[in-house]
Amino acid sequence: MLVYAPAMTMPADKNPIASLAERLGPRGFTDDPDTMAPWLIDWRGRINGRARALLSPATVDEVADIVRVAAAARIPIVPQGGNTSMVAGAVPSPDGDALLLSLRRMRAIRSLSPADNVLVAEAGCILSDVHDAAEAAARRFPLSLAAKGSATIGGLVSTNAGGTQVLRFGTMRSLVLGLEAVLPDGSVFDGLTALRKDNRGYDLRQLLCGAEGTLGVVTAASLRLVPAAARRAVAWVGLDSAQNALDLLRKLESATAESVETFEIVPADGLDLVLRHIPGTRAPLSGRYRWNLLVEATAPASAADPGESLGEALAEAIEAGLIGDATIAASETQAEDLWRLRESMSEAERIDGVAAKHDVSVAVSHMADFMASARTEVERRFAGARVLAFGHLGDGNVHFNVRAPAGADDRAWLASEGAAVTELVHDLVTAAGGSISAEHGIGQTKLAEFARLGGTARLAALRAIKSALDPHGIMNPGKLIPLAPARAAP
Ligand code: 2HG
Ligand code: ZN
C-alpha cells in the first residue's frame, strides 16, 4: 500500500471549468443540458439537481487532476456510479455549483488472478461484467442485486452495497480487498492489494467503503472471488407466518450444510404488484400465501446436489406445517423466472405509485416481531396506509415501505404524511436496536433522520473524519454527514 505525498496545494485556476474542458477533451467533458439531464435526477424521480458540467475521465491521473483543480477552486464534486441510489446519494444539489463526476469510461477489468482469487476492476465497471469475467475464469463474484446491469463497482463500494446474496459472503465491505482512490486533496491512495491480512493501522479501504463519495473518489477495487457454483437450487415457498420463515431458515442452514445464499421475503400484495405490472411473470404456486420466500442454495461441483437436500428439507417443513407449499425450479429458465419475481419488486412498486421508503435492519431473530408490530402501529396511526415489507429477511433487513391508502392521491398523501410515517418507522426500528439504513446509505433523503437518530458520538466521529480528510468539504457535500437536525424526508 502506498499513499503518495499529498498533492501540492495548487493556486486556484482563473478559469477552472475551461481548464478541465481542455484537459479532458470532448469525450470527457460536457455541459450540454440535454446530455446531463438523465444524470441529474434520482432513480425514484423525486430529487432533481443541477451541475456545472459532467466530467467523464478515462484514467486515474485525469481524476486526480480534476480533484486538484476543484479543490483549489473549492468547487464541489459529486461522484456518480449507475445512479440507482435509493437515497439520492449521487444527485448534485439544485444550486448548480457542483461538477458531476462519472467514471463510466473507466470500465476495464485490470487483472484477474485465479491463484489469488482476486479480480481488479475499475470503478466504472458494471457489476454484471464482473460476474461474467469471474465466471469465465471458473470463479464467482458473490454479490448481486436487481440493478446489476447498471450498478458500477465504484457505486457499490461507495455505498457498501448489500443485495440478495449477502447471507453467505457478506456485503461489499467483506469482498473488497483493496482500493485505489483519489483523496480530496487530489493525492492518489494506491491500496489495490490482494492481501488477506494487513494491519497497517486505520483501514482506509473500509473508511472509503460506504463513504458515499464524501471522502474521495474510488477509481478501482480489488475484489475477492469465490469458487464457481457448479450447481444451484432455487425454490419459491408460500407460508403464512414470517416467524415460521425464520425457523425455516435455521432448518435449511443445517439441512444444506450452510449452502443457502439467498433468503428473501415477498408479501402477497407485493407479489400481486409484480404479477400486475411486470410483463411475462406468473404465480409459481397455486395457492395465495401471506408471505413468499425466494431461496437459493449453491454448491461446488464436488459437493452433493443442493436441490436434493433443499427439496427434502422443504418437504419436511410442509409436513410439519411450517410452510404451506413450495416449488423448486426444474430448469435455469424456471430459476430465472423465480428470481425475476423478487428482483422486480422495487420496479413494480415504483410503477404502482410512490411510497415512504424505509430500509431497516434489526437482529435477524427480531425481524418477524418487528414487521408485525411496526405494521400494527403504522396502520393505527395512519388510517388506510398500506405497508409493503419485502427483502432480505435472512440478513434481518427489509424494505418497510409504506404506501398511501387505496384510492388516495399518493403524491399528496406522501407530501402530507410521509415525514411523520418515516419518523414513526425509524423510532420503532431505533427502539428495537436496529438501523435506519441497512444497505441503501444515507444520501440526501435520510440525512435529517440520521441527524435526529444517529447518536452524538457516532455523528461527531463522522464529522471529525470528514473534516480531517476533506477540510474544504468539496466531496459530495450535503450527503451522509448531517450538519444540523431537520425534519424527516420520506
Ligand atoms: C431491493 O432489495 C432494493 O429490491 C430496493 O434494495 C428496495 O425499492 C426498495 O425499497
Ligand atoms: Zn434491498
Side-chain angles (χ1 to χ4, degrees):
M1 176 172 47
L2 223 162
V3 183
Y4 292 120
M8 306 250 298
T9 314
M10 298 219 335
D13 200 315
K14 283 219 179 59
N15 194 340
I17 305 298
S19 305
L20 289 172
E22 196 185 342
R23 169 79 174 92
L24 297 168
R27 288 192 66 202
F29 181 99
T30 181
D31 54 8
D32 171 47
D34 291 340
T35 312
M36 292 200 292
W39 311 107
L40 295 173
I41 182 159
D42 77 309
W43 185 79
R44 293 167 64 197
R46 299 189 58 220
I47 312 268
N48 278 286
R50 288 173 52 232
R52 295 187 200 215
L54 169 63
L55 311 183
S56 310
T59 63
V60 65
D61 288 344
E62 286 186 357
V63 179
D65 286 350
I66 291 168
V67 175
R68 272 186 225 117
V69 169
R74 310 283 191 263
I75 299 175
I77 296 178
V78 177
Q80 191 180 81
N83 198 23
T84 48
S85 169
M86 293 273 160
V87 291
V91 178
S93 74
D95 61 23
D97 250 9
L99 290 164
L100 194 59
L101 179 62
S102 164
L103 270 65
R104 63 184 63 94
R105 286 175 69 210
M106 291 181 63
R107 54 193 309 158
I109 291 184
R110 290 194 193 158
S111 63
L112 192 159
S113 162
D116 287 319
N117 274 329
V118 173
L119 177 155
V120 176
E122 291 189 339
C125 236
I126 303 291
L127 178 57
S128 54
D129 291 341
V130 170
H131 287 159
D132 292 348
E135 203 182 310
R139 298 290 184 279
R140 186 157 65 107
F141 180 60
L143 183 128
S144 193
L145 34 72
K148 55 183 173 288
S150 55
T152 64
I153 292 302
L156 294 163
V157 171
S158 299
T159 55
N160 179 28
T164 47
Q165 259 161 248
V166 166
L167 208 52
R168 188 142 163 234
F169 297 105
T171 62
M172 203 64 186
R173 271 190 204 293
S174 60
L175 297 167
V176 173
L177 293 173
L179 284 182
E180 175 191 84
V182 176
L183 300 180
D185 64 354
S187 58
V188 178
F189 166 56
D190 179 2
L192 275 183
T193 69
L195 304 177
R196 307 284 161 150
K197 298 182 85 173
D198 181 7
N199 260 355
R200 287 175 283 174
Y202 301 147
D203 194 336
L204 295 185
R205 160 195 63 152
Q206 292 295 359
L207 258 187
L208 289 159
C209 274
E212 302 186 20
T214 61
L215 298 179
V217 184
V218 171
T219 51
S222 8
L223 304 171
R224 181 160 78 94
L225 302 179
V226 301
R231 282 183 280 202
R232 68 167 177 166
V234 179
W236 192 266
V237 177
L239 74 176
D240 286 322
S241 146
Q243 183 55 53
N244 284 6
L246 288 171
D247 295 345
L248 176 71
L249 172 62
R250 297 302 166 226
K251 284 194 193 320
L252 293 184
E253 275 170 351
S254 45
T256 66
E258 300 197 8
S259 66
V260 175
E261 291 195 10
T262 298
F263 199 84
E264 299 277 313
I265 194 161
V266 173
D269 43 358
L271 181 59
D272 292 344
L273 287 185
V274 171
L275 299 176
R276 186 173 330 137
H277 295 299
I278 309 294
T281 51
R282 62 177 190 86
L285 302 174
S286 50
R288 187 174 193 275
Y289 293 89
R290 229 175 127 204
W291 300 103
N292 302 271
L293 300 170
L294 174 75
V295 182
E296 178 170 304
T298 64
S302 54
D305 179 1
E308 268 174 37
S309 45
L310 187 62
E312 278 164 24
L314 289 174
E316 272 172 32
I318 295 175
E319 190 74 12
L322 199 59
I323 62 176
D325 198 1
T327 178
I328 297 194
S331 64
E332 263 307 297
T333 315
Q334 282 183 11
E336 286 307 316
D337 286 349
L338 296 181
W339 263 100
R340 195 147 163 257
L341 296 173
R342 162 62 186 97
E343 289 192 323
S344 309
M345 207 28 268
S346 193
E347 179 64 11
E349 184 200 79
R350 182 170 77 149
I351 295 170
D352 205 67
V354 293
K357 281 195 171 281
H358 311 104
D359 163 38
V360 299
S361 59
V362 296
V364 179
S365 60
H366 293 170
M367 190 42 105
D369 276 354
F370 173 80
M371 287 197 292
S373 58
R375 178 190 198 114
T376 306
E377 196 56 20
V378 166
E379 288 173 351
R380 192 179 68 77
R381 289 265 306 274
F382 301 91
R386 292 169 298 162
V387 170
L388 191 69
F390 65 92
H392 322 290
L393 184 66
D395 309 325
N397 166 207
V398 295
H399 303 299
F400 194 89
N401 299 342
V402 183
R403 300 185 303 141
D409 172 342
D410 57 350
R411 284 184 185 268
W413 180 84
L414 192 67
S416 71
E417 308 288 358
V421 171
T422 291
E423 284 178 7
L424 172 62
V425 172
H426 287 167
D427 283 345
L428 294 170
V429 82
T430 304
S435 165
I436 66 163
S437 178
E439 62 169 3
H440 293 165
I442 300 295
Q444 302 183 48
T445 62
K446 301 269 184 288
L447 208 50
E449 284 293 84
F450 193 35
R452 189 170 74 85
L453 298 167
T456 316
R458 181 200 308 270
L459 294 178
L462 255 65
R463 288 187 187 113
I465 293 168
K466 168 75 175 168
S467 60
L469 286 182
D470 183 16
H472 306 301
I474 62 156
M475 289 309 310
N476 210 7
K479 318 286 165 47
L480 178 59
I481 315 287
L483 295 175
R487 253 182 87 71

